[in-house]
Amino acid sequence: MTAQVDYLAVLFTTTSGASGDLLGSDEKELVQLVWQLVDVKNKKLGKLNEVLIGAEQSELTECAPDRQDGEESVFTVTGLEQALNQFHVGLTNEVNSLGAGTSLCVCTDGQLHIRQVLHPEAASKNLALPNCLNSFFDLRKEFRKHFPSADTKSLSVQSMAESLSVTVKPEGTLEPPAMLAPTAVMDPTAMLAPVTATLQVQSMANIVLALLSEPFCHSFLNPERVPEKFESGTCSKTEQVCDNTVIRARGLPWQSSDQDIARFFRGLNIAKGGAALCLNAQGRRNGEALVRFINEEHRDMALQRHKHHMGNRYIEVYKATGEDFLKIAGGTSSEVALFLSREDQVIVRMRGLPFTATPDQVLAFFSQGEGPKEACPVSGGKEGILFVRFPDGRPTGDAFVLFASEEHAQCALRKHKNILGKRYIELFKSTAAEVQQVLNRYSSVPLIPVAPAPLVSMLPTVSLLPSPGGVRDCLRLRGLPYTATIEDILGFLGEYTHDIRPHGVHMVLNQQGRPSGDCFIQMRSAERAFSASQRLHKQVMSGPGQGGQRGVASRYVEVFSCSAEEMGLVLMGGSLSHTHPRARSGTGLSPPPCKSRRLSPPSYSFPPAHSIMPAEAAGIFPPIGQVLLSPRPLGPGHTYYPASAQLYMNYTAYYPSPPGSPSTLGYYPSPSHLPSPGGVVRMHGLAYKDLLNTIQGYQYATEDGLVHSHDPSRTLLSQPKEWLCI
């Protein structure tokens, strides 16, 4: 609006809760609406209008002055919808009766009456506001154009009236309350009396007349606007986003969209593409969103909606940074930018697609249906489909599809879990920010780190991968029934049982302490291990108690030969790929069994104890380094089985696997220039009690041998110093 308006409707609202700078922050409903028309060209005031809302307003009516002189109209209604209708009809009739012009705009004291009261409550009740409430003039900002030194936040109707030497004579016989004095301080948590609202409107109307008159001759141009619809768009990672314009909303329903977020912040101006839903590590929405507003003023008003409700859920609102927003909504792919460049499109996400799915199959999936209402054409045909792929071009099973209207999108969502090929397809309403986030997740490093930072980040790590060329004198059994016991495994090996080394059967447990289906067996020679793998590979383990105990489900077992280093890698939490024996990925398998003399028969001879760290490791923490380099031998303890029994019959007693296991293991040697050897072993993901079973039999020197990673002053080891546990 570049021309001077013909009429200004000076408006003031009152809720049943806080007032002043906290107006609308407590989510209380509107109870009073007061307005007065100002003829801008003729500099005249219309009559004062007041609407009281709700049945409980009978008490307020009793407190209101008697206004039967024709200068004021008072109405009592039962709800917001009736109040808005009364406001719109009364304002329209008054403008038409004057006949001096048609352009009309609202004027309020600050932003809160429009942005924090009328629009949020109307949105929560699914009510449409009159068009004249989508734009307004902020009287404080218009006043500052002539008084630049004034602070907008500290301005009030009383201070502006005092600066302009405006006096107001209240209608009726009631005297103005003390709180309207220029020196009085209003309590923002108290509800305003009805007479206060009418006096505020009268003061504002006289301030407008003063600004229109000499010497100011003010022109009311370019009103503030409230967007009727959220505008989606893209954001580049190179874009500069101000930290003072971003908030984080937490506690959103998982099915909420960017339009729902814009509805929650109705009345505030969200930047184009400024609503970004956050995804968790599995690619699903985690109930959080980052919202970017056009300026700091709107961000501050958004923070006042902390713990306001979206449906039955309250939403927490916190400050965030521009970097946080760019991590979620920023993108660099030109393909995505081209896909999202089509405006006024509704995005639907497809999940669970066959890897061989083609654009033609997707188009056929949405076009199928018995009637025309069941068909939902994709906007742009094949160009309206974006498949999500890994960096090497392999499909991920996800895709995004554009639809021209909300009606077509809702029709598409009704095909949720319909079949494409041999798979059912999940469909969700999506956003532009989610498209960027999913593409970023699959095409680059994860947005959420999957592993914690190193304990000592500046120290180099030592690879745990086994060195090539090791003797492959071990067997790996994969695909064992979960009910298989040691006796079943020995029965499956048959004649090769005699080639098993003492204490050579190692069952692998998962993080829950249950069998993982894997087992490692140490053989006496690489030749016997190779022979066993050739003969037993993919043989079926079945029958009524092959191990003399019980039967197991029929299942073929894969048998591979491997080295002791590869076995140790898996038992320490690593993993051997099916296709590459030296590939590694973090799993939660059990660590090496503790070869403790106290759990072994006296007849078994132990080789000399070896250090588990390189001798050249220097000592960042000398006590731990010395302990791990010099294990203390312990004498044999109580025997859990007869010494004459066959060893393989009691391997479960020899090697009790701990219930949990470290998900990562890191060794950090000290720099070579330090005089004493040592190092740090970091085992992440293991509970304190489970640490006691992970490494045993190593002596330590001081009480600081085991340190909590979050509090270096704490020690986790307070029992008698018989074992070292990491």
Side-chain angles (χ1 to χ4, degrees), residues 503 593-601 606 634-635 654-655 696-697 723:
H503 297 233
C594 49
K595 300 182 180 181
S596 172
R597 297 173 185 267
R598 295 184 179 273
L599 298 178
S600 303
F606 277 84
L634 298 175
Y654 297 164
Y655 291 100
Q696 300 185 21
W723 309 91

Side-chain angles (χ1 to χ4, degrees), residues 63 65 168-180 193 195-196 198-199:
C63 301
V168 178
K169 181 180 179 181
E171 300 287 346
T173 59
L174 286 182
E175 294 296 329
M179 68 170 57
L180 287 183
V195 65
T196 304
T198 58
L199 289 172

Side-chain angles (χ1 to χ4, degrees), residues 130-403:
N131 289 332
C132 61
L133 293 177
N134 290 328
S135 60
F136 67 99
F137 286 103
D138 185 347
L139 186 58
R140 298 185 184 185
K141 293 184 178 180
E142 300 301 319
F143 177 84
R144 284 193 73 246
K145 292 180 181 179
H146 301 280
F147 298 87
S149 60
D151 183 12
T152 303
K153 293 184 178 180
S154 62
L155 281 177
S156 65
V157 174
Q158 288 73 34
S159 63
M160 289 187 289
E162 183 181 12
S163 300
L164 296 172
S165 301
V166 172
T167 58
V168 178
K169 181 180 179 181
E171 300 287 346
T173 59
L174 286 182
E175 294 296 329
M179 68 170 57
L180 287 183
T183 58
V185 178
M186 298 177 62
D187 182 6
T189 62
M191 177 181 171
L192 292 178
V195 65
T196 304
T198 58
L199 289 172
Q200 290 283 89
V201 170
Q202 292 176 21
S203 299
M204 292 166 59
N206 283 276
I207 291 172
V208 170
L209 289 180
L211 291 176
L212 292 172
S213 304
E214 297 286 346
F216 302 106
C217 299
H218 183 73
S219 296
F220 287 87
L221 305 173
N222 302 319
E224 303 225 6
R225 300 189 180 277
V226 180
E228 300 183 25
K229 185 180 179 182
F230 170 71
E231 188 177 4
S232 60
T234 60
C235 179
S236 172
K237 281 188 176 295
T238 60
E239 186 175 344
Q240 296 293 326
V241 178
C242 178
D243 291 343
N244 295 328
T245 62
V246 182
I247 61 95
R248 180 184 298 273
R250 182 179 299 164
L252 298 167
W254 67 269
Q255 70 273 24
S256 58
S257 65
D258 54 355
Q259 297 294 338
D260 297 319
I261 297 172
R263 184 185 183 88
F264 176 79
F265 290 107
R266 178 72 172 142
L268 306 180
N269 293 14
I270 301 176
K272 182 177 180 180
L277 292 162
C278 301
L279 305 181
N280 59 18
Q282 289 73 40
R284 303 177 186 273
R285 297 173 185 174
N286 62 2
E288 295 188 7
L290 290 165
V291 186
R292 176 189 178 191
F293 295 92
I294 60 171
N295 55 38
E296 183 178 358
E297 182 183 22
H298 289 250
R299 192 283 307 267
D300 292 341
M301 286 188 283
L303 292 173
Q304 290 188 347
R305 301 194 187 184
H306 179 60
K307 291 195 173 181
H308 283 203
H309 287 77
M310 179 185 289
N312 295 326
R313 300 175 64 101
Y314 72 83
I315 308 301
E316 301 175 9
V317 182
Y318 304 99
K319 292 181 180 180
T321 65
E323 183 181 1
D324 295 335
F325 182 80
L326 289 177
K327 286 181 179 179
I328 301 300
T332 56
S333 172
S334 58
E335 182 184 9
V336 177
L338 179 62
F339 176 78
L340 297 175
S341 62
R342 304 176 180 88
E343 298 184 356
D344 299 328
Q345 304 286 345
V346 184
I347 307 173
V348 172
R349 181 181 179 182
M350 305 180 71
R351 193 166 63 196
L353 286 169
F355 294 150
T356 57
T358 63
D360 291 328
Q361 290 177 315
V362 174
L363 294 175
F365 175 80
F366 287 110
S367 62
Q368 62 187 3
E370 298 179 356
K373 293 184 178 180
E374 295 296 325
C376 35
V378 176
S379 177
K382 295 182 180 181
E383 294 182 357
I385 304 172
L386 176 65
F387 287 97
V388 183
R389 302 182 183 277
F390 289 106
D392 58 3
R394 293 180 295 113
T396 64
D398 283 25
F400 292 93
V401 184
L402 291 178
F403 293 94

Side-chain angles (χ1 to χ4, degrees), residues 78 85 123 125 187 333 341 386 400 405 408 420 422 527:
T78 58
N85 289 336
K125 297 180 178 180
D187 182 6
S333 172
S341 62
L386 176 65
F400 292 93
S405 64
H408 287 170
L420 192 157
K422 295 183 179 180
E527 291 76 13

